[in-house]
Amino acid sequence: MGFEVVGREAELACLDAFISAGEPGPAALVLAGEAGIGKSVLWEAGVEQARSAGLVVLASRAVEAERTLDGVGLVDLLELVVNDALPVLLTPRRRALEIVLLREEASADPVDRRALAVAVRDLLQLVCREGRLLLAIDDAQWLDPLSASALAFALRRLSADDVILLLARRAADGVGAKPLEQALPGDRVRRLRVGPLSMGALHLLLRDRLGKAFPRQTLVRIQQASGGNPFFALELARALGAEADPLAPLPIPETLESLLRARLAGLPGATREALGLASALGATPVSLLERADIAPEVLEPAVALHAIELEDGTLRFSHPLLASVVYEDLDGARRRSAHATIAEAIGDPLLRARHLALSKEGPDPEIAAILDDAAGIATARGGAAAAAELAEHAIRLTPSEAADERRRRELAAARAHQAAGEWTRARVLATDLLAETEVDSLRAEALVLLSELESVDRATELLEQGLLEAGSQPTLQALIHCRLAWMKRFRGGSEHAATALELAERLGDDELRARARAVQAVLEWFAGRGDASGDLPALAQHLPAALGSERLVQEATQALVNTLAPTSERDQVRTTLEWEYSDWRDRDEPRAARALWGLSWVEFWAGNWKVAAEHAARAYDIAIQYGLEVPQDHLPLAVIAVHRGQLELAREHSERALELAEEQFGFHPPQHMAVLGLVAAWSGDRSGALEWFEKAERRAAVLEWHEPSVRWWTADYAELLLELGRIDDAVRLVDAWEADAVRVTREWVLAHVTRCRGLGAAAGGDVEKALALLTGAVTEHEAVGDLFGRARALLVLGAVRRRARQKRPAREAIQGALEAFEAIGASRWAERARAELSRVGGRTRAVGLTAAERRVAALVAEGKTNREVASALFLGERTVASHLTHIYAKLGVRSRTELARRLRANEPT
């Protein structure tokens, strides 16, 4: 496939389980869903997966126009295998098959359908002898009846053959597929409903296919209008211009419009009038239609066409795009009338305000005031997009002579758009406001808002200008000082933090005081002069407001997590961030994303690397959807990837982050340079690794990063220096790191220090000291819950023991390291451990094998066949074969004989 399958993890897992199950006898998986929902993409993924797994694949993609062509499905399926089968078929069967496959002239008599069906069965049986068989049919509802009946006949008679069936069909129209599904027992057919894509998956789809990311609220509208259907979503997205009007309905491309209008053609005028009212509201209570004198029977023609659905007294369009087409057909007067009717009948203040606004064409100060109140309610509910729309309507309905009101509403709309992720619209409104007003307070607030949408240097300029404009507003000044403190955190930001705190104290404002202290705490942490974890909940609460954006809180979040996550207090951090994510995910996605970003670090330190990667990817997707990508978005993704052995992925993320940092900050962040150092080191490029580590260390020194936990790469840098024979440089590096760690009591850093000291002792030839230090490092890493650090200490301890000819203790240490590396998913480190184990002489167990693999290996070594092993262990033969493949790879053997010899030589007597 040309594109990656996105947002279908559960469906792909189901495909994988179905294809790899290996159960005897026919079975079927049916992918069902509406047109355009993505069934074919999943079907194709299943076909590719089956081929990769070594199955024989016979595939056909049915087409509606060919449904009346008898046998066309069999031609697609059997063309590649029929040559080998025809010579062994009996004459009547062979002739029937040859005629259908257009290899023989047809006679005047019709094809013997029974002979054809038996021939298909015989052919499939022959193919199954070559290996497991997948019959794959896409758009199975269009499969021609002759092919369907012949295949159904064959499937009913292949009970002893290893054949599986993968069908993709429309959920409401399975005519061509049903004979095939009914040919198998009910418990052998699994149906998987393919539903709409999630918002995140839709974002990835549009970005991958169209090469651009849409603003968050535009994405929401595409998702709502398309119903999560990827085909419809792509068509809608292609029709959008560079900047979509956030208030105008989405344009419907002609390709979809003609299709949808055909669905509605022929409806009576009264029915279309009723649908017009419903299209202005969405899900519409039937009681509202009755109040508008619309009788229920008027809707019956639309129900019969499946254009609408009536359930529990509510009318819904069968697809959102149908509502869009109906609404588009209403002229201006009819639209306003529909909205006025709805406003009179509805009770919710937000919906009522919106429909009141849409019922008016010209200025209306009373309704504008109602919209102000409704926007405030929406903001309090966490509905930034709704607040933005209501504020825009308030601007539209504000009379031209009420200039001050208009400007105030423009600022409110800009804030709401910024919160909703519509960065472009927020910037336009704030910029226009600056151009048209001389009111200092409004200008200052507009400058602060714009600063949240710009790079660091530009944001600093805007905040400094805003500080001058806010001369008569000490509260706003204090807030600006908090933000300037963060913008200048690497060059004098502490002075701004102190000024913010002084202003807060003078004003007696507890909330402002808490914000200023939160900023101070994190700045002190970076400088290695404080403990940002002193009041974790308070920092989580006050930092976002102090810094003005969840996007800016990531580094502060990392400060908290790096301090506590590798210690016994890890659960406290996890609980706090999980609560915050749960509390905000439905109200404020950027804030929820920041919690996920922090959780990715917690799970990384806990050794749950797969979960950590999932959290980091989700946080990154939300950040991209909201339109402002920063280097920190890539950091956990890069760090986790490099530790999992995904070096190229780590390189891509860090290189992208360095590009962003150059644009936004004018310098390269040390942590991403360190990731590139790890990529180089762990791929064998020592000189490249040394260069990146040196750059990272120099940059950290310039930025005065004296907090040791933020320089997590130091242990790897020291290890590289030792490998290069630069022992004195390594000692100086570790001495400085240790001094910082002792000053602020970072136990997990001290565990790494102990391991580095052990490595240094080993490099200097002091084996006894090295063994003592490394044994201590194992204990220290374990005490702080650092699984990866403990595994690395065990690996080095085992290597030193091996060189000291302590074979059994060496094997035990390295085996422990190997098991830990495999458990957390550190693939390249697991390879190192296996290589180190292979250097240990003497008798060993089947190192690196899981318990199940050891059982399989032992029976194979006794001379048992795969079938005998499967019977003894209650496994499938394919499972045994899979285990044997892994065993060969891990032990470096190529045959059953070599395996038996290896186990006999290594097992203790």
Side-chain angles (χ1 to χ4, degrees):
M1 289 182 295
F3 295 96
E4 181 183 357
V5 181
V6 298
R8 300 295 190 188
E9 289 76 14
E11 291 88 344
L12 291 172
C14 184
L15 278 169
D16 179 61
F18 173 69
I19 291 168
S20 61
E23 299 177 6
L29 177 63
V30 182
L31 305 171
E34 67 178 43
I37 202 67
K39 306 180 300 297
S40 295
V41 172
L42 286 168
W43 178 87
E44 190 174 346
V47 167
E48 289 189 7
Q49 189 172 345
R51 285 181 174 138
S52 299
L55 276 70
V56 178
V57 177
L58 304 181
S60 172
R61 308 192 86 147
V63 179
E64 183 177 10
E66 298 175 352
R67 189 172 184 272
T68 58
L69 301 178
D70 280 345
V72 67
L74 291 176
V75 172
D76 291 342
L77 288 168
L78 306 180
E79 188 70 25
L80 297 179
V81 295
V82 71
N83 287 339
D84 293 334
L86 284 176
V88 301
L89 295 179
L90 296 178
T91 300
R93 305 175 189 180
R94 182 177 66 250
R95 174 159 174 74
L97 190 59
E98 286 179 326
I99 290 173
V100 169
L101 299 184
L102 305 180
R103 291 169 173 251
E104 183 74 29
E105 289 290 337
S107 63
D109 298 326
V111 171
D112 185 335
R113 298 172 76 95
R114 186 167 66 91
L116 173 67
V118 175
V120 172
R121 181 206 62 185
D122 292 347
L123 188 151
L124 294 180
Q125 284 179 329
L126 288 170
V127 174
C128 284
R129 294 177 187 174
E130 301 299 318
R132 194 159 177 244
L133 170 63
L134 171 68
L135 291 173
I137 303 172
D138 188 21
D139 274 325
Q141 74 274 2
W142 306 130
L143 184 65
D144 65 279
L146 181 66
S147 298
S149 63
L151 288 168
F153 177 95
L155 288 169
R156 284 192 291 270
R157 291 161 176 79
L158 291 173
S159 59
D161 294 279
D162 202 359
V163 57
I164 57 176
L165 185 65
L166 179 62
L167 303 177
R169 65 166 173 81
R170 294 187 185 174
D173 188 1
V175 176
K178 285 179 180 177
L180 301 183
E181 297 174 44
Q182 294 168 352
L184 302 180
D187 63 347
R188 304 295 294 167
V189 180
R190 180 174 181 182
R191 293 174 179 85
L192 178 62
R193 179 69 182 231
V194 182
L197 286 178
S198 68
M199 193 75 69
L202 198 61
H203 155 69
L204 293 175
L205 174 77
L206 299 180
R207 186 186 66 185
D208 291 349
R209 300 291 179 91
L210 305 182
K212 63 178 179 178
F214 291 87
R216 173 65 177 177
Q217 292 311 313
T218 302
L219 188 65
V220 169
R221 296 168 68 210
I222 292 172
Q223 204 266 354
Q224 291 173 342
S226 68
N229 184 301
F231 173 76
F232 291 163
L234 282 165
E235 292 300 308
L236 288 170
R238 287 191 179 102
L240 285 175
E243 294 183 11
D245 184 342
L247 297 184
L250 289 176
I252 302 176
E254 292 183 10
T255 52
L256 291 182
E257 189 173 3
S258 57
L259 179 69
L260 295 165
R261 289 191 189 285
R263 181 104 173 253
L264 300 169
L267 287 176
T271 303
R272 292 187 69 93
E273 284 294 324
L275 294 184
L277 179 59
S279 72
L281 179 59
T284 307
V286 174
S287 59
L288 186 147
L289 297 177
E290 291 173 348
R291 286 198 295 274
D293 295 327
I294 297 174
E297 55 268 21
V298 170
L299 301 172
E300 290 177 0
V303 174
L305 284 176
H306 301 290
I308 61 172
E309 300 167 350
L310 291 173
E311 184 179 353
D312 297 329
T314 300
L315 179 156
R316 291 181 176 84
F317 284 87
S318 58
H319 195 282
L321 282 175
L322 288 169
S324 299
V325 168
V326 172
Y327 187 77
E328 192 175 86
D329 283 344
L330 299 176
D331 59 31
R334 287 195 297 163
R335 285 187 187 181
R336 289 190 293 275
S337 175
H339 288 296
T341 300
I342 294 168
E344 289 179 7
I346 206 158
D348 182 273
L350 301 191
L351 288 176
R352 179 174 178 271
R354 178 177 183 271
H355 288 286
L356 278 173
L358 291 169
S359 72
K360 298 296 179 182
E361 186 175 17
D364 190 315
E366 291 183 6
I367 293 180
I370 292 173
L371 287 163
D372 280 346
D373 294 338
I377 294 171
T379 300
R381 291 180 180 178
E389 182 184 4
L390 293 167
E392 290 271 15
H393 283 305
I395 295 169
R396 178 175 63 84
L397 297 178
T398 301
S400 57
E401 62 271 16
D404 290 343
E405 285 294 306
R406 182 181 183 84
R407 284 192 282 269
R408 180 180 59 78
R409 287 166 179 159
E410 285 175 342
L411 181 61
R415 284 175 178 152
H417 279 302
Q418 190 264 350
E422 287 285 350
W423 303 94
T424 301
R425 182 59 180 162
R427 183 180 283 109
V428 167
L429 285 168
T431 303
D432 289 348
L433 181 60
L434 283 174
E436 67 188 24
T437 184
E438 297 180 358
V439 180
D440 290 346
S441 59
L442 285 178
R443 288 182 58 81
E445 292 186 58
L447 288 164
V448 169
L449 190 150
L450 277 174
S451 73
E452 297 172 14
L453 307 174
E454 300 290 350
S455 65
V456 170
D457 287 343
R458 178 60 180 150
T460 302
E461 292 176 8
L462 291 168
L463 287 170
E464 288 175 339
Q465 185 181 348
L467 197 59
L468 297 175
E469 301 276 3
S472 60
Q473 295 179 281
T475 300
L476 183 56
Q477 281 185 318
L479 181 61
I480 294 173
H481 276 297
C482 282
R483 299 187 182 186
L484 279 170
W486 192 249
M487 291 297 171
K488 296 183 176 183
R489 59 194 177 278
F490 304 133
R491 50 185 191 278
S494 58
E495 295 179 7
H496 285 286
T499 303
L501 183 58
E502 181 183 337
L503 284 168
E505 296 284 5
R506 191 188 310 161
L507 292 166
D509 188 325
D510 291 338
E511 178 68 20
L512 196 54
R513 185 186 297 114
R515 294 179 185 181
R517 284 178 175 166
V519 175
Q520 271 194 328
V522 178
L523 293 182
E524 290 291 307
W525 180 86
F526 271 107
R529 296 192 296 270
D531 186 354
S533 64
D535 189 353
L536 180 61
L539 288 173
Q541 175 185 351
H542 296 297
L543 269 171
L547 304 183
S549 170
E550 293 294 338
R551 320 284 303 120
L552 302 175
V553 187
Q554 289 174 325
E555 289 177 77
T557 301
Q558 192 184 7
L560 311 179
V561 174
N562 278 17
T563 302
L564 296 177
T567 73
S568 60
E569 297 171 285
R570 177 187 300 147
D571 288 343
Q572 176 194 352
V573 184
R574 182 187 283 117
T575 299
T576 298
L577 292 173
E578 285 179 346
W579 176 87
E580 188 166 345
Y581 173 69
S582 176
D583 189 48
W584 288 99
R585 63 182 174 183
D586 296 327
R587 295 188 289 148
D588 189 337
E589 280 196 305
R591 185 162 184 172
R594 194 255 299 174
L596 278 178
W597 193 89
L599 280 169
S600 70
W601 288 108
V602 173
E603 301 304 344
F604 170 72
W605 289 116
N608 303 322
W609 289 357
K610 184 174 184 295
V611 175
E614 291 169 356
H615 287 330
R618 175 66 180 141
Y620 174 74
D621 287 342
I622 293 173
I624 296 298
Q625 290 170 31
Y626 275 82
L628 184 60
E629 182 185 11
V630 297
Q632 289 295 101
D633 291 322
H634 295 268
L635 186 57
L637 289 166
V639 172
I640 295 163
V642 75
H643 282 80
R644 295 177 79 188
Q646 300 166 333
L647 303 187
E648 202 52 44
L649 178 62
R651 187 199 313 276
E652 289 173 6
H653 276 293
S654 282
E655 287 180 346
R656 171 59 180 159
L658 293 181
E659 291 175 6
L660 290 170
E662 187 67 36
E663 297 170 5
Q664 297 173 8
F665 304 146
F667 66 84
H668 288 168
Q671 294 181 331
H672 281 293
M673 291 193 283
V675 169
L676 294 175
L678 290 178
V679 169
W682 294 352
S683 59
D685 179 9
R686 291 182 176 181
S687 61
L690 183 64
E691 182 179 353
W692 280 117
F693 282 140
E694 287 175 344
K695 287 180 179 178
E697 200 68 21
R698 285 197 301 270
R699 174 56 59 186
V702 170
L703 298 177
E704 298 182 351
W705 278 8
H706 297 301
E707 163 56 44
S709 64
V710 80
R711 307 196 311 273
W712 41 261
W713 65 84
T714 305
D716 291 283
Y717 184 17
E719 188 169 338
L720 177 63
L721 290 172
L722 291 171
E723 290 174 4
L724 295 172
R726 293 171 52 178
I727 296 176
D728 291 343
D729 290 338
V731 169
R732 280 193 292 271
L733 180 68
V734 173
D735 284 347
W737 201 33
E738 182 181 32
D740 286 340
V742 169
R743 186 182 65 255
V744 291
T745 319
R746 299 287 182 262
E747 290 92 347
W748 73 270
V749 172
L750 294 172
H752 283 278
V753 167
T754 302
R755 190 180 81 248
C756 291
R757 300 287 190 205
L759 283 165
D766 192 340
V767 174
E768 185 175 344
K769 182 179 179 181
L771 290 172
L773 286 167
L774 292 169
T775 301
V778 172
T779 302
E780 291 176 32
H781 280 298
E782 189 167 2
V784 296
D786 183 358
L787 301 183
F788 181 59
R790 177 181 176 275
R792 290 184 66 177
L794 279 171
L795 179 58
V796 178
L797 176 62
V800 175
R801 285 175 175 173
R802 176 182 64 80
R803 290 194 287 270
R805 300 186 181 279
Q806 299 175 11
K807 293 183 179 180
R808 183 180 294 278
R811 283 197 302 271
E812 291 173 353
I814 300 169
Q815 182 66 36
L818 175 59
E819 291 172 358
F821 288 139
E822 289 181 331
I824 63 179
S827 58
R828 289 181 179 260
W829 284 93
E831 291 173 11
R832 288 192 185 189
R834 290 191 196 99
E836 189 62 39
L837 269 174
S838 68
R839 299 187 184 99
V840 181
R843 298 174 178 176
T844 72
R845 294 191 306 161
V847 294
L849 303 185
T850 65
E853 289 167 348
R854 286 198 292 271
R855 289 193 292 270
V856 170
L859 292 175
V860 169
E862 292 174 8
K864 295 186 183 299
T865 65
N866 283 12
R867 184 180 295 273
E868 290 169 335
V869 173
S871 177
L873 299 178
F874 300 99
L875 299 172
E877 283 189 59
R878 292 192 176 275
T879 302
V880 172
S882 176
H883 279 320
L884 203 53
T885 299
H886 294 149
I887 290 165
Y888 285 176
K890 289 180 178 181
L891 299 186
V893 299
R894 298 182 180 179
S895 67
R896 304 167 88 91
T897 302
E898 285 185 44
L899 173 61
R901 188 182 303 121
R902 174 71 176 272
L903 293 185
R904 283 196 297 272
N906 289 342
E907 284 296 327
T909 58

